[in-house]
Amino acid sequence: MCGAVLLAAESESSTVVAIALSIASVAVALLIARAGAALVRRVAMVPVGVVSAVIACLLLAVTPRGVITVLIAAVLGAGVGVTLPAMAIDAFGSNRRDVTFGVAAGAVEITVFALIGGRLAGLWAAAVIGFAVGILTIATRPARGSAAGRTLGRDGVAFVTVTAVLAVGLVAWVGANDPTVQWFGRVITHGDRSQNKVALTFDDGPDDPYTMDVSRILDDHGIKGTFFEVGKAVVARPDISRALLADGQLVGNHSFHHDYWRWLDPRYPELDRTQHAIEQALGKCPAFFRPPHGQRTPFMLAQVRNDGMHAVTWDVSAGDWASHDGRLVAQRIVDGAKPGSIILLHDGLDGNVSADRSVLLTALPLIIDGLRAKGLQPVRLDELLGVPGYLDSC
């Protein structure tokens, strides 16, 4: 997943990773643009190219840098390649205006798209791609009025089809996986930015002994947290969940199995099954639901709304599930936190009630101290958002 590459990019070797991703992205965009310029030479395909380029820049604006950036760059290059050569072929003859049009249109079109995306790096890459494709237009343009300028051909059809499918697929992937986008329905990603409060949230428990160790660290610092619990783990260890409730921690719903495929079920029975498991163990019905791995569909979010619950993701994460360096985890969290942040940490792993989460015991005190040094006070999620943490009934 691109998240793993992002974590690598944020490590001490981030410069090398970032440079490699940038080079790969620009290279792919240029190669794909060249292919599109050679294969697709019809004005009728210009809307496909423009839409593809717009989609790519929108995706660049909302996704973290990672492997997915290379795929987005391919869509951007394809969009440029499909758009500009066709426009140059049909609008101009074989004279110097082709050069002017190709270079100027390439730079202007993609620069505007990149500005919409709001990414300086994207703007730079787009300018390079725009100028390069403008020049390539001249090299690949057939003579005016030739058959090549009027027909698409099987290779051109295949190119446009793959571009469209990839663009749609990336939109679906980002909409389902990015914790901050709202394309498939509303999710809460942060609280009020005007108040110096943040919420520490812990996923995938209960876990023995680390869940209660985390609870004790919170107590030692005079704060409370929010624990999004996996239903099967609650069934296995209801005593830990009861202890959390008794200690004043907030318990939320984090699916029953926490796997990688049940979230695709349009009925999403995982939600109610976990609600009933928590109600049976605690006599409480959580008002907050966090999708497993942050993955969601419009159907899932509709089910959450129908149950009167709130879907909650996050805006700060440190990849603590994949790290053994507590100090690095703490640094990432503190550096990324700002007023209203919802912070993602893990007191368990995928509902495994005996997972090793010792890294969190090192990181958590450093996180709390670092947040307070920034003037940020950790609170429960219901306090951060100003809504009840439990429903009247499931």
Side-chain angles (χ1 to χ4, degrees), residues 188-193 195-201 226 250 288 312 315 338-343 377-387:
I188 299 173
T189 64
H190 61 81
D192 187 346
R193 294 297 193 192
Q195 298 188 26
N196 290 328
K197 297 179 180 180
V198 297
L200 291 172
T201 67
T226 302
L250 184 65
F288 298 119
V312 179
D315 67 333
K338 51 190 172 182
S341 284
I342 297 176
I343 297 168
Q377 176 60 28
V379 297
R380 288 189 355 173
L381 190 58
D382 52 349
E383 180 178 344
L384 179 73
L385 300 179
V387 297

Side-chain angles (χ1 to χ4, degrees), residues 157-359:
V157 170
F159 184 89
V160 171
T161 300
V162 170
T163 298
V165 170
L166 181 58
V168 171
L170 286 171
V171 168
W173 175 259
V174 172
N177 288 271
D178 191 293
T180 63
V181 302
Q182 311 281 333
W183 300 344
F184 290 169
R186 182 174 181 266
V187 292
I188 299 173
T189 64
H190 61 81
D192 187 346
R193 294 297 193 192
S194 67
Q195 298 188 26
N196 290 328
K197 297 179 180 180
V198 297
L200 291 172
T201 67
F202 304 90
D203 284 11
D204 293 10
D207 185 351
D208 182 20
Y210 295 102
T211 294
M212 294 313 301
D213 288 341
V214 168
S215 183
R216 280 189 287 272
I217 292 173
L218 295 176
D219 287 340
D220 290 343
H221 288 79
I223 61 178
K224 300 297 179 183
T226 302
F227 292 76
F228 285 99
E229 300 199 313
V230 177
K232 66 180 182 181
V234 173
V235 172
R237 293 299 305 270
D239 56 312
I240 299 178
S241 298
R242 294 190 192 105
L244 283 176
L245 182 66
D247 191 43
Q249 313 293 352
L250 184 65
V251 175
N253 183 323
H254 195 40
S255 82
F256 194 86
H257 290 96
H258 199 277
D259 57 21
Y260 285 91
W261 62 272
R262 285 184 172 87
W263 66 282
L264 294 169
D265 186 341
R267 302 165 300 170
Y268 199 62
E270 292 271 299
L271 182 68
D272 289 339
R273 187 174 180 183
T274 307
Q275 286 291 84
H276 295 149
I278 294 175
E279 182 185 30
Q280 185 174 6
L282 308 181
K284 295 284 188 178
C285 295
F288 298 119
F289 166 74
R290 174 166 286 162
H293 310 108
Q295 295 174 315
R296 59 219 182 262
T297 68
F299 307 104
M300 173 197 286
L301 295 180
Q303 183 65 38
V304 173
R305 291 193 301 271
N306 291 339
D307 283 3
M309 302 175 68
H310 306 282
V312 179
T313 53
W314 60 87
D315 67 333
V316 179
S317 175
D320 62 307
W321 68 89
S323 176
H324 298 289
D325 187 339
R327 291 185 177 275
L328 180 59
V329 169
Q331 179 184 341
R332 290 171 174 169
I333 292 295
V334 174
D335 288 348
K338 51 190 172 182
S341 284
I342 297 176
I343 297 168
L344 172 67
L345 294 164
H346 293 76
D347 63 314
L349 289 177
D350 297 327
N352 179 353
V353 296
S354 59
D356 181 2
R357 300 304 303 136
S358 56
V359 64

Side-chain angles (χ1 to χ4, degrees), residues 364-378:
L364 188 54
L366 299 174
I367 290 171
I368 296 171
D369 291 343
L371 292 173
R372 285 177 166 168
K374 291 181 71 171
L376 301 174
Q377 176 60 28

Side-chain angles (χ1 to χ4, degrees), residues 21 33 42 63 78 89 94 98 124 129 151 167 199 237 260 283 286 288 296-297 302 331 359 369-370 386:
L21 285 172
R42 291 198 62 188
T63 57
I89 291 163
S94 55
D98 288 342
W124 174 83
I129 295 168
T151 60
R237 293 299 305 270
Y260 285 91
F288 298 119
R296 59 219 182 262
T297 68
Q331 179 184 341
V359 64
D369 291 343

